């Protein structure tokens, strides 16, 4: 094998290992590295190793922009695995579009976006919000209180949820800074006590999640009767807030560690072996993991990192992920994903209370306005 053919394939990895978003983004880094390790230990791709070029954007969008540009202009990278917040994706987007790269984005988001330079592997609103809305209205009631971090994802998600609620009442809507501390939630908790909703819908992300749930617990709310429902509170945030604080709260997600299948059990065991027995998996780990495998399969076929060659091979491809079989929907570059509702238990895991019968086709622009026919 000559030198040119044995050189590693260089890929960019951009997840925060510090700052207020690291509680979840670090887990996405781990999912990415697990997949890369697996690929390299089984001989690489067409005989060449995958080499991650990893930067820590430290929960700072300016650094996301700077490192994305550096990866593509100085480090010889065309595919980047990265971004959790929609605001970080929005700053990386013009860079990958201008330089014709490919951003692999493993995070649920607000939808209403399409770029030929992004593969979206987290849930769109028709795959999580819709299921959650149906479940909450059927099981808890029609008076909602919205609490979110103040940036595009929560504001857009609440706009969509308000539309999905069709006549149910939103009794309050409050936003806090992405760096919100415990004290910042106190007026909101008082507002919740005053307005007496049936359900709290949280789009708070990162470290602030811990402060919200802890303040809620301190105020004496009982999650058994008035849970916080979320699309972003995973096993990672529950672990950070304490299992006792998290118990009883509800999340809708494409994946939970608790999914009962042989392939998920094997995934969880490989993850724990690599990162520690106490490290849970979560929906963001899983998407970060399986998207590397989508990339790898396509690369074996193209034997080229060229976005124009790779992308058409990725579109329409399928993968047996830990959540079940998933596909990259060729019509919109978003993944068709499963839809689950989980309720956190005492052990920091989610008991799955509802699950789709198959992967739900991604519909990021909510063009199918009907109810989610796949949902149990
Ligand atoms: C998000 O900002 N997409 C969670």
């Amino acid at each position: 094998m000559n030198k040119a053919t044995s050189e590693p394939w260089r890929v960019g990895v951009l997840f925060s290992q510090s700052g207020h978003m690291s509680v979840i983004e670090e887990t996405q880094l781990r999912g990415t590295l697990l997949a890369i390790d697996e690929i390299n230990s089984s001989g690489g791709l067409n005989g060449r190793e995958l080499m991650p070029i990893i930067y820590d954007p430290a929960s700072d969008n300016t650094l996301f922009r700077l490192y994305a540009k550096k990866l593509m202009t100085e480090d010889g990278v065309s595919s980047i695995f990265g971004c959790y917040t929609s605001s970080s994706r929005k700053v990386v987007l013009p860079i990958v579009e201008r330089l014709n790269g490919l951003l692999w984005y493993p995070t649920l988001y607000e939808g209403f976006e399409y770029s030929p330079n992004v593969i979206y592997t987290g849930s769109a609103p028709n795959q999580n919000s819709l299921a959650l809305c149906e479940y909450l209205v059927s099981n808890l009631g029609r008076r909602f209180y919205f609490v979110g971090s103040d940036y595009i994802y929560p504001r857009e998600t609440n706009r969509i949820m308000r539309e999905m609620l069709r006549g149910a009442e939103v009794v309050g809507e409050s936003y806090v800074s992405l760096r919100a501390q415990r004290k910042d939630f106190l007026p909101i908790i008082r507002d919740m006590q005053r307005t007496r909703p049936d359900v709290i819908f949280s789009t708070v992300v990162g470290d602030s999640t811990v402060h919200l749930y802890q303040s809620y617990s301190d105020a004496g709310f009982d999650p058994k009767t008035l849970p916080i429902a979320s699309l972003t509170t995973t096993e990672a945030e529950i672990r950070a807030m304490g299992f006792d604080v998290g118990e009883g709260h509800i999340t809708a997600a494409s994946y939970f560690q608790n999914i009962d299948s042989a392939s998920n059990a094997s995934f969880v065991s490989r993850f724990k072996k690599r990162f520690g027995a106490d490290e849970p998996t979560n929906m963001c780990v899983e998407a970060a993991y399986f998207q590397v495998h989508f990339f790898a399969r396509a690369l074996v076929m193209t034997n080229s990192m060229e976005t124009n060659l790779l992308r058409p091979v990725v579109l329409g491809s399928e993968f047996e992920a830990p959540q079940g079989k998933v596909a990259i929907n060729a019509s919109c570059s978003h993944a068709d994903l499963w839809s689950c509702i989980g309720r956190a238990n005492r052990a920091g895991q989610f008991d799955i209370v509802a699950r789709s019968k198959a992967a739900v086709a991604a519909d990021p622009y909510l063009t199918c306005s009907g109810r989610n026919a796949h949902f149990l």
Side-chain angles (χ1 to χ4, degrees):
M1 193 180 288
N2 66 32
K3 183 164 187 314
T5 57
S6 64
E7 269 179 16
W9 304 103
R10 296 157 77 85
V11 291
V13 181
L14 279 187
F15 296 111
S16 301
Q17 295 165 59
S18 52
H20 55 276
M21 293 312 303
S22 59
V23 63
I24 188 67
E25 292 191 36
E26 237 179 340
T27 74
Q28 291 177 303
L29 172 62
R30 292 189 185 127
T32 306
L33 294 179
L34 180 65
I36 291 176
D37 283 358
E38 286 178 1
I39 289 160
N40 287 341
S41 59
S42 60
L45 302 169
N46 297 343
R48 298 168 60 181
E49 284 211 330
L50 263 181
M51 181 174 147
I53 317 276
I54 304 170
Y55 293 115
D56 174 12
S59 310
D60 178 343
N61 290 341
T62 307
L63 292 179
F64 271 97
R65 180 188 292 117
L66 193 140
Y67 287 138
K69 193 160 177 203
K70 181 165 162 39
L71 282 165
M72 293 205 62
T73 57
E74 295 175 29
D75 297 328
V77 156
S78 55
S79 267
I80 299 174
F81 302 105
C83 299
Y84 175 88
T85 63
S86 290
S87 46
S88 66
R89 185 190 71 257
K90 292 283 188 194
V91 302
V92 169
L93 201 56
I95 294 163
V96 289
E97 288 188 339
R98 204 172 314 123
L99 300 172
N100 199 25
L102 208 48
L103 172 67
W104 297 77
Y105 179 56
T107 311
L108 70 132
Y109 87 111
E110 64 282 1
F112 293 86
E113 186 181 286
Y114 167 79
S115 168
N117 297 93
V118 181
I119 304 290
Y120 303 82
T121 59
S123 303
N126 78 299
Q127 296 164 311
N128 57 6
S129 295
L130 199 48
L132 185 62
C133 174
E134 285 184 356
Y135 181 84
L136 296 175
V137 169
S138 309
N139 290 282
L140 290 160
R142 302 178 66 78
R143 289 167 48 79
F144 278 61
Y145 191 103
F146 293 169
V147 55
S149 301
D150 197 2
Y151 73 107
I152 180 172
Y153 163 73
R155 288 195 177 261
E156 274 297 289
T157 299
N158 284 342
R159 179 186 65 74
I160 293 163
M161 186 57 102
R162 208 179 263 273
E163 279 180 20
M164 287 177 176
L165 284 170
R166 292 182 187 175
E169 199 185 347
V170 179
V171 298
E173 181 165 356
S174 301
Y175 293 92
V176 291
S177 143
L178 275 157
R179 290 172 182 75
Q181 300 297 311
R182 195 98 153 231
K183 67 175 173 31
D184 300 309
F185 287 103
L186 298 182
I188 296 173
I189 297 285
R190 281 197 292 275
D191 204 31
M192 291 171 183
Q193 285 163 331
R194 186 182 60 78
T195 51
R196 303 168 66 84
D198 297 322
V199 189
I200 313 292
F201 176 50
S202 166
T203 45
V204 171
V205 299
D207 280 350
S208 307
T209 313
V210 173
H211 299 307
L212 166 65
Y213 285 68
Q214 287 180 342
S215 312
Y216 192 79
S217 173
D218 290 349
F221 282 111
D222 181 2
K224 286 191 194 68
T225 50
L226 182 56
I228 300 176
S230 162
L231 306 167
T232 46
T233 302
T234 73
E235 292 85 341
E237 289 84 359
I238 296 277
R239 180 174 179 230
M241 70 182 67
F243 298 165
D244 54 334
V245 172
E247 186 182 11
H249 293 298
I250 293 173
T251 297
S254 50
Y255 168 90
F256 291 111
Q257 177 176 305
N258 241 358
I259 285 174
D260 183 16
S261 72
S263 89
N264 183 43
S266 161
F267 170 66
V268 171
S269 135
R270 296 195 309 276
F271 186 83
K272 286 180 181 294
K273 189 162 172 216
R274 171 79 163 76
F275 298 107
D278 289 343
E279 289 294 329
T281 58
N282 66 60
M283 63 172 134
C284 295
V285 168
E286 194 244 8
Y289 169 82
F290 76 65
Q291 68 172 13
V292 176
H293 282 289
F294 270 109
F295 160 83
R297 286 194 173 182
L299 186 58
V300 166
M301 290 171 77
T302 58
N303 203 35
S304 164
M305 298 277 292
E306 181 70 40
T307 297
N308 291 348
L309 298 176
L310 210 51
R311 189 173 178 278
V313 177
V314 173
L315 296 184
S317 61
E318 295 180 342
F319 184 72
E320 207 53 65
Q323 70 184 264
K325 189 190 263 185
V326 298
I328 306 299
N329 193 311
S331 72
C332 57
S333 306
H334 287 60
D336 296 341
L337 299 170
W338 294 66
S339 184
C340 310
I341 310 277
R343 195 153 197 170
N345 63 28
R346 247 289 122 165
Q349 294 300 314
F350 286 88
D351 295 326
I352 296 169
V353 295
R355 187 160 188 245
S356 60
K357 297 183 186 110
V360 178
D363 182 19
Y365 287 87
L366 292 172
T367 55
C368 305
S369 57
R371 290 298 183 189
N372 187 351
H374 303 273
F375 205 65
L376 285 173

